[in-house]
Structure formats: C-alpha cells, structure tokens
Amino acid sequence: MRAEVELLDEQWMPFFARLEGPLRIISRTERFNLRVPQQVMETRARPLDVRAKAFAPLAEAVRAWDDARTPAQIDAILGQLSPQLAREVLLAFESVGGVGVEAWQRTMDKLGRPLWRRRWLKAYRQMYEMLMTQVALRGLHHYLLAWLPDGMRPEDMINTVEHVFDTGAARADLPALLPGMYTEYPDHLAPQESHLPLFALLTSYDFKGTWTISTLHRILGLDLDLALSIDVGVVSRTKAEMLADFTVNNRMTQLRSGSGPRDVRAERQLKAAYELQEVLDTESLHDVRMVLAVQGRDLEELNANVRKVETAGGATLKLMRPIGGQGPLTKFFGATPTGQIDALTRPRRQRSMAVTQYVPFGLRKPDRTDGLLWMLQGDTPIMFDPFADRRAAHAVVLGKTGSGKTFAINCWAMRLAAMGYQIVMYEPQGHSRRLIEASGEGRGGARYVLDMRQKVNVLDIVATRDEAGNAPSIATQIDHVVTQISVLMGTNVPTADGKTAFRPRIWESLEQGLLDLALQKLYHGLNLENLEPDHTPIVADLCDALSDIGSDEAKRLAYEIGLRLVQGSRGATFNQRTTIDWDFTHDLTAYDFSGVPEGTVRTFYYGQAFGALNRFVRSPIRDRRRTTVAIIDEFAYMAQVPSLAGFAAMAAKTWRTFNAHLWTLDQDAHTYLGTENGNPDPAMLSVFLNAPIKAILKQDAADAARLGNKIEGLHAAHVNQIKRQGRGELVLVWEGDGVGARHNEVFVGRVEPNDAELRAFAGT
Ligand SMILES: Nc1ncnc2c1ncn2[C@@H]1O[C@H](COP(=O)(O)OP(=O)(O)OP(=O)(O)O)[C@@H](O)[C@H]1O
Ligand SMILES: [Mg+2]
C-alpha cells in the first residue's frame, strides 16, 4: 500500500521527468449493455421451461394415479414427447428403481429437481433489465499513446507503465473517435448518417488553482458520452535549463546595475528563474494541452452537454469551444503528431509534478459483462468470471460481524447456483436455512443440521488419492486421526471476547509413536479408498490396539483415551460408527454446525467435515465438468489447529484440477495474516495468498492496514474505505485474467440485491 502523495512523488513524477518523447493519454467512455448476461439467463432457462411444460401432463397423471388407467396414459404421454425427453424420463424411472405409483412419484420428483432454478433465472434476467433501464451504462477505457525514443521497444513501455501506474496494460488499437462520416461546422461536427451523435470539441486554455488526481474524475464521471485527450509534450531539458540560467544572469546584472526605484518585475522574474532552476534538478517541463470531445443527439443536447462539461471543469480547468478547427481537433484522438495538427490550442507549460495530477487512470468504470454480477460500483455493474479457462477461483471474504458477509455470500451463491454451479456450504450460525429454502428445499437444496446426537467416528477415512492418482496414504490418514484426537481431548478456554477457544492435547514424542503404531495395525490390510463406515474401526478398537502393545506407557495412553472418548459422555458421539450423511448430491448443500458446541468439538467437526468434502471433490465418480464452490464460514475454527489449516491450504493448491474452489469467510484479516505479536500461520497465509479473489467488507483499523500492506493494488484510500464501510459495502480485489495480467483489479462498491434476493436473504 502506498499513500497517494508518495505514489505521485516516487512513481509517477519520475516517469514524466524522464520522458524522452511526447505522449497522449486518451480516456473514452463507452456505452455497454447487459444483453449478453440476459441471454445467458434465457439460454439456461429455456431447456428447463421446455421440461416443465413437457412433464406437466405426466406429473398430473401420476398425481391422479389410477391402477386401471394411468399406466396406459403414461405410455401415451411418453409417445408424444420428443425422443430425447422420453429417454430422460425412462432413465430417471430406471434409476429410482421399483414399479407402480411410488416409483413414478419418485421419478417425477427426480425430474422436477432442476426446475427450481427457473424462477431465479427469471429474477436475474429481470435484474439485468432493471440495471439497464435505470442508468446509461458506460465503461471507461484509458489509452496511452507514446512516441518512443529510438531503441525503446513497445514492450518496455508497457512494462514501465504497468509498474509506474500499478495497472495492467496491453497493446491495443486506438479506436477512431468519430463513428462515421462527419461534416464540419464552426462549433461542432454533424454526422452524415442521422442516427449518429453530433460532436463538439473543447480545448483547455488554462489550468488554475489546486489540482488533485481526482479533478478530472469530475468530468470523466459525468453521465455523458465523452472522450478526453491529454497531450503531453516534452520541453527539451537543455533548452529549459539554458533559459533559466540566462534569465538569472540577465536579471542579476539588471538589478545590480540598477539605480533609482526598485525593479519589482525583474525581482519577480529572478525569483521565478531560481525556482525553475531548482525544479529542473529533479523534474522536467512539459507543454500540456487537453482536448475534450462531447457528444449529443441534437444541437440542443450537445450544447447542454458542453455546458455540463464546462461546469465540471469549474475554476480549475478552463475550457473553450473554438470557432473553427473542430475537424482538426479530432486528430488529438489519433496518432498525428501535435506539431502537425492545424488547430488553435493553447499549451500550458507545466512541471512534471503538475502533470501527475492529470493522469486519470485512478478512475475505473469496467464494462465486462461475463460471469457473475458481484456488486455495483456507483451505477456500474461489476461482472467477471473468475472460473473462466479453468482458473483457480478461490476466494477469501472478510467482514466484521454485521458487515454483510453472509448476505453477500448468499446472493453470490444463488447467482452461481442458478447458472448451474454446485454450492456446498459449512456454517455455524444457522443462516444457511434461507439459502436452502430459496432453492426449494428437497429439490435444489438440502440442509443438514448437526448436533451431538449424530455419531461421528474419529477414525473415518479422510485420506484420498493424490493428483497423480496414487492410492491414499496411510501416513496422511494417521496424521489426521492423531490431530483430531488431540483436538477432542483438548481443553476449552474462554477468550476475552466471550468466545471459546481451546488448547489441544499436545502429544509427547513417545505418545505420538504409540498412536502411530496402533493405528497402523488397525488400518493394515484395509482398502482406505472404499472403506465403508460400517467396517471402519472405532476409538475403542484403537484403545485395544494400544493396550495390545503392552508397554506401561501404551496402557496409560489407552486408559486416558478410553476415559475421555469411550467411557466418558463423549463416547456416545465419537466412539461410534458415523451416522452423518455426507451428501453432496444436491445443487446446494448446507451443513449447519450451530448445534455443535464451540471449542474442541466444533473444531473437530470442521476437520471431519472438511475431510468429507475433500474426499467428495477428489472422488473419481464426481463429474469434474461441473464446478463446485465450497463455502466455509467462520474459517477461524480451522485456523485453530495448524494441521487443519494445512488441510485447507492443500485444497487451495490442488482443487483447481478437480474444478472445485474454496471460498472461506472470516471476520478478521488477522485470522489469515497473523497479528503483530504472532507470526501468521503459514498454512493460513497460504490459503490467503492462493485466493485470486478477496472480498473485503468492514475491517477494523489494524486489519485494514494489514490488508493494505499485503495486497498489491490497495492504496491508502482503499484502506480508509475498508475501515469506514457500511453494511454491504466492500472492496473487491481480483487477480484478473487480462493478457499478461500482473496487477490486481480493485473495485469499490456495494452488494446490491434484487427483490427476490432481498425477500429471501434480508433480516435475520
Ligand atoms: N447488501 C445488503 N442489503 C440489505 N441488507 C443487508 C445487506 N447486507 C447485509 N444485510 C443485512 O444486515 C444484517 C447483517 O448481515 P450479515 O448477517 O450478512 O452479516 P455478517 O457479516 O455475516 O455477520 P456475522 O459475522 O455476525 O455472521 C442482516 O440482517 C442482513 O440481512
Ligand atoms: Mg455471517
């Protein structure tokens, strides 16, 4: 993170000071619309609509089942369906098994399952319609046109620009300013085809008062179609220096020889020349012109728009609309060298530091319309598809309590699920209820509420095949079980903020060895990959295996584990075959851990649940064409145990291959980044660094600063924003996918729900 002043002084100013050739910065607003995402919704809804309509008579026949009549009716209906749909019905019937009315009811349930998405696809189509009608959507594109000195390659310039301005840059064609043939009038250009807009060109004649880097944003942010060209010429250094020296010598002589009254004018000139000498030590001089192209549908609108631009320029940027020369002025939006443009302009001589204030790159108005609608930045919808090209699209979502994490995640999850992505959510507050209800519980979604009544076997298999397809390793499995036993046998301690943390039972080296030995015996000869819960050993078997080792230490350890996890009250839950159904067959699946006591037990559950998820993600029978997004709320539970955090870090590194993505949520950045006193857990840091998406809602001051230091592209203004944000407001950082994208894209705005989302997810 850099403060704005530092950035301008140390990065931007030297860029201009060292400039050897002239350059032009051209910024243009471009209209866009949301027809493409609208069509995406329509394309996805259409086959579902077709099915809903085609299956309706079948559903009706099954509902009014009559042994005598319905079977024949069904045959008749199937005969009228398209062969593809008829095949679908028969396949579904076969897969549910059985005969008669019950089998047909289950068949219809199965066929009806995906239809829940129709209503949401419609809601999202309408949302895009709304966004288009509310405001004219405009993107803003920045171009830098540079005349390179001999020997400098365009790639060098691109690298320099990326580095200096902290932005992505790529070689591009400069689009023509005028969209067709135009006729020149004294104060405007009129199109030869009537559907095109009129243009008026304005030029700068003075820059006054105090500029900041957002002065030009006032003009470029206007609700208008415009283009701005900032023409920066280089004044030869030697010439400028000679001029300054000459003035100093000349005026000195004049003042020294002067008798009579004080020569105030000469004194002022001398002072200015001294100042110039000083400036030239570090900076250069530039001749700067600005040209603006304003559009309007007719003369009246054009004149009104020109007035809006002039008003926005205010007292700092003085503009004029020259009479004559309108045609030649358009050349400032192309590659004609300034000296060859036959138009009246008034260059202002400026030092490099002043030129930095004109660079408008800080103002971004993206116009992508692919993928997910994340948020609105002002009126601009921020859309991008982080999953494109099979990228890793892991995310970290941060926000203090009440900042709107859950709400944002519910909106994003529903938008993805409607488009056909699979969502799995783990959360400890019961908030998933609304998401699952909204997906037609039992059809699109399933929700499992966990509490101590379900049984969980500590020895369940979590080890999986690796990416190379090697069989699950016993060592990984044993490590996990040893960790999980240490969690369950830990002790809870209340924290200052009223929560429960815990200290795991730390194993001594001897104990670790004994556990390893006993577990090796238990798992020996078992096929870890296909081991069913009914054949998996339980804690009591582990205690027996320890006792069988025979040493006093082994017996003592068996006794301790037996006391805590077999005979003790926890035995009823943990010394049992697992009854939790780790089921990931729905479009949306949520596991709610709110009924699981905080501290050791909840952490243990997170660990087991993560293991089950990881097994599902890597399962050879899972359809890898379907993208899975796994959302884990209150990720801090995993962070409490280094090896569980390590488990997640492994997922962040490897899940991409399986087309699965890990989205973790937590209240505080320090969960991932550590505090000043504590070093960050390397695994948590790795989860953070491996997430190309960071959605940052409100954070306290220390965490906001930490994020500023850790995330490339965040400036002091963003850090301030993060501290001050209200509910639903966020700073969204994405690694981007542009050609050679080496710079994060940063968006600032808010999560804006549509009516359906508001009804489904707002309030608690
Ligand atoms: N963008 C939004 N528009 C409308 N209401 C919102 C928005 N964001 C959040 N809310 C509402 O604000 C309240 C708090 O939001 P939410 O539960 O998402 O916070 P949270 O960050 O998940 O908090 P916690 O850390 O306690 O889980 C909820 O009642 C939610 O419905
Ligand atoms: Mg929440």
Side-chain angles (χ1 to χ4, degrees):
M1 173 199 45
R2 319 203 57 168
E4 191 179 276
V5 180
E6 238 172 84
L7 191 83
L8 296 187
D9 270 1
E10 292 172 16
Q11 265 176 252
W12 293 21
M13 193 280 278
F15 172 80
F16 289 103
R18 287 185 206 130
L19 213 54
E20 287 179 58
L23 60 80
R24 236 169 242 165
I25 295 172
I26 297 171
S27 303
R28 303 176 43 150
T29 58
E30 318 261 355
R31 277 185 187 250
F32 70 103
N33 61 43
L34 299 169
R35 301 250 184 274
V36 170
Q38 263 192 333
Q39 277 157 9
V40 170
M41 298 302 129
E42 276 160 29
T43 327
R44 306 210 173 201
R46 207 169 301 127
L48 299 176
D49 290 342
V50 168
R51 278 169 180 68
K53 205 163 149 231
F55 298 153
L58 202 56
E60 179 51 30
V62 172
R63 201 189 53 77
W65 187 273
D66 175 338
D67 280 333
R69 279 202 357 251
T70 308
Q73 244 177 344
I74 288 179
D75 282 344
I77 295 170
L78 287 181
Q80 280 162 17
L81 291 180
S82 74
Q84 191 209 337
L85 288 180
R87 198 163 46 239
E88 226 170 277
V89 174
L90 292 174
L91 276 175
F93 184 74
E94 257 169 48
S95 79
V96 304
V99 287
V101 57
E102 225 189 297
W104 274 105
Q105 273 161 354
R106 274 184 289 133
T107 305
M108 292 324 293
D109 282 350
K110 190 175 165 103
L111 289 170
R113 261 193 179 197
L115 300 185
W116 72 272
R117 288 164 50 210
R118 288 165 70 215
R119 137 178 128 80
W120 284 98
L121 286 166
K122 200 164 145 220
Y124 291 131
R125 209 196 66 80
Q126 281 166 354
M127 174 168 71
Y128 290 124
E129 185 75 49
M130 278 271 284
L131 287 171
M132 274 201 286
T133 49
Q134 278 170 351
V135 288
L137 296 174
R138 270 190 203 83
L140 180 64
H141 292 217
H142 298 295
Y143 302 88
L144 187 135
L145 182 73
W147 281 264
L148 301 183
D150 280 349
M152 188 175 192
R153 296 172 313 151
E155 295 72 43
D156 301 332
M157 189 61 171
I158 291 173
N159 282 333
T160 308
V161 165
E162 289 198 323
H163 173 75
V164 170
F165 299 106
D166 286 329
T167 180
R171 228 168 142 163
D173 291 328
L174 187 61
L177 177 70
L178 300 176
M181 300 287 281
Y182 275 74
T183 312
E184 187 175 340
Y185 289 88
D187 68 350
H188 71 277
L189 300 168
Q192 291 177 9
E193 291 168 73
S194 60
H195 67 277
L196 295 174
L198 284 72
F199 278 81
L201 286 117
L202 315 182
T203 69
S204 56
Y205 73 89
D206 212 353
F207 308 125
K208 289 203 142 149
T210 325
W211 279 67
T212 69
I213 53 171
S214 45
T215 301
L216 282 173
H217 297 189
R218 279 209 305 268
I219 293 181
L220 290 173
L222 285 172
D223 186 14
L224 295 177
D225 295 317
L226 13 108
L228 164 70
S229 172
I230 303 166
D231 186 83
V232 182
V234 184
V235 177
S236 140
R237 240 191 131 73
T238 343
K239 227 157 92 192
E241 271 161 1
M242 273 164 57
L243 185 70
D245 294 347
F246 173 79
T247 314
V248 167
N249 292 336
N250 213 348
R251 295 294 171 270
M252 289 262 279
T253 329
Q254 197 179 342
L255 287 167
R256 245 188 249 126
S257 67
S259 48
R262 256 180 88 190
D263 187 342
V264 181
R265 189 156 165 261
E267 278 175 17
R268 217 187 310 128
Q269 284 174 342
L270 180 63
K271 192 164 164 262
Y274 274 139
E275 275 170 15
L276 182 58
Q277 279 181 327
E278 206 173 305
V279 164
L280 286 170
D281 282 345
T282 49
E283 301 181 39
S284 305
L285 292 182
H286 313 269
D287 284 336
V288 181
R289 298 165 171 84
M290 291 191 196
V291 180
L292 271 148
V294 184
Q295 298 181 32
R297 272 169 308 186
D298 50 39
L299 214 46
E300 197 184 332
E301 192 186 80
L302 182 68
N303 293 339
N305 290 350
V306 166
R307 273 193 300 280
K308 281 186 201 158
V309 171
E310 285 169 343
T311 310
T316 31
L317 175 60
K318 296 286 192 185
L319 294 166
M320 61 178 175
R321 183 175 178 180
I323 302 298
Q326 289 276 311
L329 282 174
T330 62
K331 298 211 164 92
F332 279 98
F333 296 89
T336 312
T338 310
Q340 294 169 23
I341 299 178
D342 184 19
L344 187 72
T345 54
R346 193 173 133 149
R348 301 301 292 170
R349 192 149 283 188
Q350 302 278 331
R351 51 192 280 199
S352 302
M353 196 57 213
V355 178
T356 61
Q357 315 282 5
Y358 308 146
V359 178
F361 296 161
L363 186 67
R364 296 294 166 107
K365 288 180 162 197
D367 54 6
R368 291 182 68 145
T369 57
D370 58 330
L372 174 65
L373 172 64
W374 293 88
M375 60 193 276
L376 295 189
Q377 174 172 292
D379 292 324
T380 309
I382 300 298
M383 298 186 69
F384 58 84
D385 180 5
F387 306 99
D389 303 328
R390 294 196 75 107
R391 285 192 161 67
H394 307 307
V396 168
V397 182
L398 300 170
K400 297 300 281 183
T401 188
S403 63
K405 285 187 302 300
T406 300
F407 187 87
I409 254 318
N410 278 347
C411 292
W412 296 336
M414 187 51 93
R415 292 172 194 182
L416 290 172
M419 287 196 286
Y421 291 75
Q422 183 189 24
I423 306 292
V424 176
M425 182 182 281
Y426 289 164
E427 60 92 10
Q429 285 172 317
H431 290 165
S432 58
R433 183 177 54 81
R434 322 194 70 175
L435 180 67
I436 300 305
E437 276 173 6
S439 65
E441 190 152 9
R443 289 213 288 162
R447 178 158 166 269
Y448 299 91
V449 181
L450 303 185
D451 58 36
M452 297 293 278
R453 283 170 302 187
Q454 284 109 9
K455 324 288 181 213
V456 188
N457 180 2
V458 183
L459 272 66
D460 272 349
I461 306 300
V462 300
T464 59
R465 281 186 183 270
D466 63 16
E467 293 78 74
N470 298 313
S473 108
I474 282 210
T476 312
Q477 174 62 25
I478 289 178
D479 277 350
H480 177 82
V481 173
V482 171
T483 301
Q484 286 288 63
I485 295 176
S486 81
V487 170
L488 274 183
M489 294 188 33
T491 38
N492 287 331
V493 276
T495 64
D497 54 355
K499 296 192 168 176
T500 307
F502 71 94
R503 273 185 229 105
R505 163 78 160 83
I506 307 286
W507 304 120
E508 283 169 21
S509 167
L510 178 67
E511 294 168 330
Q512 194 128 26
L514 290 169
L515 283 166
D516 189 0
L517 201 62
L519 285 164
Q520 278 195 46
K521 266 200 234 154
L522 284 183
Y523 288 126
H524 180 76
L526 296 175
N527 178 350
L528 295 192
E529 191 168 23
N530 301 318
L531 197 57
E532 294 294 330
D534 283 351
H535 302 108
T536 308
I538 58 172
V539 181
D541 300 324
L542 173 63
C543 293
D544 290 346
L546 280 170
S547 303
D548 286 351
I549 293 172
S551 70
D552 287 349
E553 290 86 355
K555 281 188 185 140
R556 227 201 62 235
L557 190 55
Y559 180 63
E560 184 190 336
I561 295 176
L563 261 185
R564 295 288 304 273
L565 300 183
V566 180
Q567 288 122 275
S569 55
R570 287 186 173 180
T573 305
F574 301 114
N575 179 39
Q576 306 286 339
R577 302 240 139 84
T578 297
T579 58
I580 296 177
D581 190 7
W582 297 117
D583 164 27
F584 304 104
T585 55
H586 288 78
D587 294 339
L588 292 115
T589 311
Y591 284 88
D592 168 356
F593 295 84
S594 57
V596 175
E598 261 191 79
T600 58
V601 178
R602 193 175 290 175
T603 302
F604 169 83
Y605 266 75
Y606 261 67
Q608 290 306 98
F610 197 85
L613 179 63
N614 186 50
R615 267 191 118 192
F616 159 71
V617 162
R618 292 159 166 266
S619 153
I621 56 170
R622 174 172 157 269
D623 180 1
R624 289 185 194 165
R625 282 167 309 182
R626 185 160 191 209
T627 307
T628 300
V629 178
I631 299 168
I632 303 190
D633 202 349
E634 304 274 4
F635 192 56
Y637 289 117
M638 298 277 291
Q640 292 193 26
V641 184
S643 59
L644 291 185
F647 209 170
M650 171 281 302
K653 287 209 184 95
T654 56
W655 275 11
R656 186 180 71 84
T657 332
F658 304 98
N659 199 9
H661 309 271
L662 179 65
W663 289 19
T664 67
L665 279 60
D666 203 68
Q667 304 205 357
D668 307 301
H670 62 247
T671 301
Y672 300 83
L673 302 179
T675 55
E676 294 85 69
N677 317 333
N679 284 330
D681 179 292
M684 291 300 288
L685 186 61
S686 155
V687 170
F688 185 86
L689 296 175
N690 276 302
I693 305 158
K694 275 121 189 159
I696 309 165
L697 296 105
K698 188 186 168 64
Q699 290 285 279
D700 61 27
D703 274 334
R706 262 175 216 124
L707 290 163
N709 287 326
K710 208 78 204 171
I711 301 177
E712 187 265 350
L714 287 191
H715 295 165
H718 296 129
V719 171
N720 265 323
Q721 166 77 18
I722 290 169
K723 285 190 280 201
R724 284 197 320 254
Q725 289 180 128
R727 207 172 71 172
E729 293 180 336
L730 77 163
V731 172
L732 182 69
V733 186
W734 180 45
E735 274 180 15
D737 63 356
V739 186
R742 273 157 296 195
H743 289 270
N744 286 330
E745 298 194 37
V746 182
F747 309 100
V748 180
R750 63 197 188 285
V751 176
E752 195 75 354
N754 66 17
D755 287 348
E757 288 170 334
L758 204 57
R759 270 197 306 275
F761 306 135
T764 28

